[in-house]
Amino acid sequence: MDDFEDFEVVFSSNLNVAYDQQTLKQIRHNRQLMENELFVDRLLRALGVKQASELYPPESNESLRALHERIIASSSPDHHKHSVLYYLLKDVPQPGREAAEEFAKASYLPDKYKTFVDGIWYMDRLKFERALDYLTEPALIPTFPEEILYTLCRHAPDNDVTLPVAYYHTVSPSITSNKVLETYFLTLCRASITEAFYFSRTQGDLNHRVLFEKLIIFVHANSSGAIKATRAVELISLPLNDDEESWFNEFLEEGEGRTLPGASDTVIMKKIATGRPVPELDNGAIRSGRKIDGVNWATLTGSMRMAQQ
């Protein structure tokens, strides 16, 4: 399509086209939820369009025309500009025709660009499961992978950990942001203590120890009752190497972790699991059946012994 610079060509079926109030309200609401940045904002910035959040969503036909002008004025390749126009056409469905699909065909928008835009359009609509149908396509070169992973961790419905974990395993993004790394790691902790442990080993020496200690904190500070008991058993059953064993003991006995609820009990359990002397047994702590966050100590220790068999 050589004439995409003409607004009337792109939006040919309705020259007075504008976003309806419900769509505008939903977009603003979603932007606020997503820490004031939508994925289309990132696309617009990539084109060199400044003040993207002020231009999108366009409030009227006139502001839509102005946004169109800013897009076509970009020095970016045509297929990048076509991608954003395709996104806008998805925003304003037109009865009786598939305007966005027709535009994609007429402009020869490459499939990988179309698939990516479909994915981030659903991300901006908070339809994350649908978004991943597109964003995990093998042919895609990951774009905004850390931002996508972070958004899935923070905003997946009902704290669903399966979506960010599935995205990570499918796309294997390189995580360079500490904020994204910590957010994903805590999400992984909720999914599986063991998987989080092995993930920590892949993040370099410095991050390895930091994440390992965060794993210990998570088990003690973000769990209670039977869930804490199960996670504690999983924690002390991990196949720690010499360094990790040292970090474990230092953190819970001498470091910041010593003040965590149940820290001393975890140390006792780990000693039992590794066959080391347990002086604490002499004072009847286990035999007394005292509770940790409502869980009987004897029951907890029994579960741990079964896990070690």
Side-chain angles (χ1 to χ4, degrees), residues 120-179:
I120 64 168
W121 188 85
Y122 280 111
M123 288 291 293
D124 285 343
R125 296 304 175 277
L126 309 184
K127 297 180 180 179
F128 300 125
E129 189 168 355
R130 189 77 178 96
L132 291 195
D133 289 341
Y134 296 97
L135 295 174
T136 55
E137 278 290 321
L140 286 185
I141 297 174
T143 304
F144 308 137
E146 288 188 88
E147 293 87 346
I148 291 169
L149 182 62
Y150 179 78
T151 300
L152 293 172
C153 290
R154 293 279 294 164
H155 304 294
D158 302 319
N159 289 319
D160 184 359
V161 299
T162 62
L163 295 179
V165 172
Y167 179 76
Y168 181 85
H169 283 302
T170 303
V171 177
S172 299
S174 176
I175 303 177
T176 59
S177 163
N178 287 334
K179 180 179 78 169

Side-chain angles (χ1 to χ4, degrees), residues 55-215:
L55 294 168
Y56 180 90
E59 304 280 340
S60 63
N61 177 265
E62 290 75 16
S63 56
L64 178 57
R65 287 174 180 269
L67 178 56
H68 171 263
E69 288 182 8
R70 296 284 291 274
I71 292 168
I72 64 174
S74 168
S75 59
S76 298
D78 284 352
H79 53 274
H80 290 178
K81 292 185 276 191
H82 290 162
S83 296
V84 181
L85 293 175
Y86 172 68
Y87 184 106
L88 298 182
L89 284 164
K90 288 176 69 68
D91 278 349
V92 284
Q94 301 172 35
R97 59 179 298 210
E98 296 290 338
E101 295 293 331
E102 292 172 13
F103 175 81
K105 291 178 182 178
S107 63
Y108 300 102
L109 184 63
D111 285 344
K112 63 181 180 180
Y113 286 92
K114 179 178 180 295
T115 299
F116 174 68
V117 172
D118 285 333
I120 64 168
W121 188 85
Y122 280 111
M123 288 291 293
D124 285 343
R125 296 304 175 277
L126 309 184
K127 297 180 180 179
F128 300 125
E129 189 168 355
R130 189 77 178 96
L132 291 195
D133 289 341
Y134 296 97
L135 295 174
T136 55
E137 278 290 321
L140 286 185
I141 297 174
T143 304
F144 308 137
E146 288 188 88
E147 293 87 346
I148 291 169
L149 182 62
Y150 179 78
T151 300
L152 293 172
C153 290
R154 293 279 294 164
H155 304 294
D158 302 319
N159 289 319
D160 184 359
V161 299
T162 62
L163 295 179
V165 172
Y167 179 76
Y168 181 85
H169 283 302
T170 303
V171 177
S172 299
S174 176
I175 303 177
T176 59
S177 163
N178 287 334
K179 180 179 78 169
V180 176
L181 178 62
E182 181 174 345
T183 301
Y184 178 64
F185 185 72
L186 293 179
T187 299
L188 203 54
C189 287
R190 297 204 310 272
S192 167
I193 297 300
T194 301
E195 188 169 352
F197 166 70
Y198 283 111
F199 174 84
S200 72
R201 285 181 165 181
T202 68
Q203 299 304 304
D205 291 341
L206 180 59
N207 282 333
H208 180 191
R209 179 166 187 169
V210 170
L211 294 177
F212 181 71
E213 290 177 353
K214 287 186 182 297
L215 178 65

Side-chain angles (χ1 to χ4, degrees), residues 223-232 292-296 300:
S223 312
S224 61
I227 293 176
K228 181 171 184 176
T230 300
R231 287 173 172 168
I292 306 170
D293 291 343
V295 178
N296 187 281
L300 188 61

